[in-house]
Amino acid sequence: VETEGPADKKMIINIVPHEECRIALLKNGQLEEIYIERASSENHVGNIYKGVVTNVEPSIQAAFVDFGIGKNGFLHISDLHPQYFGGSNGDRMENIGRKTPRRARPPIQSCLRRGQEVIVQITKEGIGTKGPTLTTYVAIPGRFLVLTSGMQGFGVSRKIENEDHRRQIRQQLNDLELIEDMGCIARTAALGRSKQELQNDLTYLTRLWRAVQKREKNDRAPCELYRESDLVIRTIRDVFTADVKQI
């Protein structure tokens, strides 16, 4: 695919089926970024699962969760949403950008118990015998927006530093139709997009979230609820901008 105009940036995609995918981003003929994904090392980051707590460790304020891939994941108290705190805190929502500080969180042993089901998302792959790092702050990324569960309000990516741009995007976000108990963060790609484009992305993400909720209700734990897209789709979604003139 090629557009008219000078080739400021070029994206090269090279795939060997069942072996490796490589994507390079060139700027003025020079390599700027490169992404590699091998079939032998499957990527789970971004995937969402319904897992089961296998052990709670008060000494490290963490729990281990079986989510169905063979290695238990690591869930620290700082990544536990207030909905799991119990008592009067169990229904508490958090505002985007204002996560409950560590000192205000109850001990993990009073929040989780062995055999309890939790909805988790992988934030970091495991290394060696160490299992993946998990969070209960679940988020699904789109082209322009990120939909966040258990959060309320709108946020703007910190990568957008210009205050005028931030103010402009916030005004657009305030007009979007957001479903209950969900928050929304504008990505850098949202800059310069119309309200309708942002709403279309939000509608798409809402549909994805409804599918996750349906699987959560119907499927037995441990199970996969949502799988992040492959490297090609993720890179075009996250890296492709108007100054990329050729793929």
Side-chain angles (χ1 to χ4, degrees):
V1 180
E2 186 171 0
T3 58
E4 296 180 358
D8 298 328
K9 286 188 179 181
K10 179 185 295 186
M11 185 181 292
I12 300 175
I13 302 173
N14 170 240
I15 299 175
V16 180
H18 310 299
E19 290 187 23
E20 188 173 84
C21 174
R22 293 170 289 194
I23 301 177
L25 190 64
L26 306 182
K27 183 176 182 179
N28 298 323
Q30 299 296 313
L31 180 64
E32 188 174 63
E33 298 178 53
I34 188 166
Y35 305 86
I36 299 175
E37 187 171 81
R38 295 180 176 87
S40 59
S41 55
E42 184 179 3
N43 180 61
H44 300 95
V45 172
N47 292 0
I48 301 172
Y49 302 86
K50 180 161 69 170
V52 179
V53 176
T54 60
N55 201 19
V56 178
E57 296 288 350
S59 61
I60 56 174
Q61 282 299 291
F64 292 91
V65 180
D66 175 13
F67 55 96
I69 70 166
K71 285 185 179 180
N72 291 343
F74 178 86
L75 176 62
H76 190 261
I77 183 63
S78 59
D79 285 312
L80 191 67
H81 191 278
Q83 71 186 68
Y84 294 100
F85 289 178
S88 60
N89 291 321
D91 297 326
R92 192 171 77 193
M93 296 280 288
E94 289 187 323
N95 293 322
I96 286 180
R98 297 187 178 181
K99 192 175 177 181
T100 303
R102 172 69 180 85
R103 63 183 179 276
R105 294 169 177 266
I108 197 167
Q109 61 268 28
S110 67
C111 303
L112 299 177
R113 66 185 186 280
R114 189 174 183 179
Q116 182 177 347
E117 293 184 352
V118 289
I119 306 303
V120 295
Q121 186 169 31
I122 297 182
T123 58
K124 183 180 179 182
E125 291 284 9
I127 300 175
T129 58
K130 184 179 178 181
T133 302
L134 307 176
T135 182
T136 56
Y137 289 88
V138 175
I140 301 180
R143 179 71 181 95
F144 309 124
L145 306 171
V146 177
L147 192 65
T148 60
S149 172
M151 308 291 282
Q152 60 186 5
F154 296 100
V156 179
S157 170
R158 292 188 180 92
K159 293 181 180 179
I160 301 177
E161 298 178 350
N162 184 287
E163 284 302 321
D164 290 335
H165 291 162
R166 296 181 66 85
R167 194 176 303 111
Q168 176 188 347
I169 292 178
R170 283 188 180 279
Q171 290 175 348
Q172 290 180 300
L173 293 178
N174 288 332
D175 293 332
L176 299 183
E177 300 174 11
L178 194 61
I179 60 177
E180 188 179 0
D181 296 337
M182 300 297 286
C184 181
I185 301 172
R187 311 184 69 180
T188 53
L191 192 61
R193 300 294 175 172
S194 67
K195 174 190 170 183
Q196 188 58 53
E197 286 178 301
L198 299 183
Q199 184 61 59
N200 289 344
D201 200 39
L202 180 57
T203 300
Y204 163 73
L205 290 173
T206 300
R207 200 161 55 239
L208 275 182
W209 180 244
R210 295 298 191 200
V212 169
Q213 290 180 310
K214 184 177 180 180
R215 294 192 188 104
E216 177 189 349
K217 181 179 179 180
N218 297 330
D219 298 352
R220 295 182 59 184
C223 63
E224 182 181 274
L225 302 178
Y226 165 82
R227 177 174 294 187
E228 178 60 295
S229 303
D230 64 28
L231 181 62
V232 174
I233 299 300
R234 294 200 312 272
T235 305
I236 292 177
R237 181 192 69 196
D238 299 342
V239 178
F240 182 86
T241 54
D243 56 351
V244 177
K245 301 302 180 182
Q246 188 178 32
I247 298 179

